[in-house]
Amino acid sequence: MSRRRKIYEGKAKTLYEGPEAGTLIQFFKDDATAYNAEKHEIMDGKGVLNNRISEYIFSHLNRVGVPTHFIKRLNMREQLIKEVEIIPLEVVVRNVAAGSLSSRLGVEEGTILPRSIIEFYYKDDALNDPIVSEEHITAFGWASPQEIDDMMALAIRVNDFLSGMFAAVGIQLIDFKIECGRLLENDTVRIILADEISPDSCRLWDLETKKKMDKDRFRQDLGGMLDAYQEVATRLGIMNKNEQPAKSGPVLVKSD
Ligand code: UDP
């Protein structure tokens, strides 16, 4: 790994130069962060689970015609992806009130929204990823009106696909975040899905019990985050119950 050129290091993933022009390698780390990295822990095996879950989702999206950056999974922690120019926005789709929507607008967590709501956040850690409107996005040139339309259309298709996929295994998709990129192809630029989709970037509740099976277990100190991610993978049929995500390396045995 160290022989490769690092292109970018984020909180949960690192991007390396790919084997050929126009490709990158996306490495999934075990770091769990929340509240703009104020809260940070290493969760042994999270990267492996997210790599597998995101691979499953992106390859299915590719198959149903939703364009993504995903090419193939390379190993336990890495995927080969298409290099894109990331649009500096987080696109959030919400079906049920939770998180910042509940606290900002005083809507009780768990309230089913009258329709799916799409929101944009400007990706800037120093500013804490503020919510922005289409006016801000076009005025500051982060994306054009056409690109906003394309991102919204993509987000709705992803929402429809994911809602059905999760419902089929007894999981309710509350909300999720996607990131989009510009891909240059035969002199035309098109918007495709980038980054990852995993329990780090979705809110997932058990349909019956409403048990949280996502990063809120970490944000809210509920414990059992890895077990919940493992259960998502198991329910989707990605990993079997007894398959343990490979650990990152030797584990320190504590003497006390
Ligand atoms: N989300 C994300 N990355 C972020 C912020 C949010 O993946 O930097 C996801 C989050 O997991 C949830 C959805 O986007 O599924 C909506 O998050 P919200 O705005 O409620 O923010 P939060 O409560 O996580 O601060």
Side-chain angles (χ1 to χ4, degrees), residues 11 35-36 90-94 98-104 119 121 123 125 129 173-179 195-196 198-204 214-216 219-220:
K11 291 187 276 257
Y35 311 116
N36 203 2
E90 298 195 334
V91 184
V92 168
V93 182
R94 301 179 182 275
S100 69
L101 179 123
S102 290
S103 49
R104 196 174 343 106
E119 297 170 340
Y121 293 82
K123 269 167 67 76
D125 283 342
D129 297 350
L173 177 65
I174 305 302
D175 59 29
F176 65 94
K177 182 263 306 185
I178 56 169
E179 295 186 26
D195 193 50
E196 72 176 301
S198 71
D200 268 6
S201 57
C202 301
R203 283 198 172 91
L204 305 170
D214 55 60
K215 203 164 96 173
D216 273 351
R219 293 189 189 97
Q220 301 171 2

Side-chain angles (χ1 to χ4, degrees), residues 6 28 47 69 77 80 87 94 115 131 141 147 191-192 195 201 215 248 250 254:
K6 194 190 280 186
F28 287 74
H69 72 166
R77 288 183 180 274
L80 184 65
I87 295 174
R94 301 179 182 275
R115 60 179 174 83
I131 191 164
E147 288 177 328
I191 300 289
I192 67 170
D195 193 50
S201 57
K215 203 164 96 173
S248 49
K254 289 196 185 123

Side-chain angles (χ1 to χ4, degrees), residues 1 6 29 48 53 59 64 67 90 93 104 113 129 150 157 173 180 182-184 205-206 212-213 253:
M1 249 176 333
K6 194 190 280 186
K29 303 197 284 185
V48 174
I53 295 170
S59 53
V64 298
E90 298 195 334
V93 182
R104 196 174 343 106
L113 299 170
D129 297 350
D150 292 349
R157 292 180 74 190
L173 177 65
C180 301
R182 297 182 184 99
L183 177 72
L184 181 66
W205 295 357
D206 181 90
K212 293 180 176 170
M213 305 174 75
V253 178

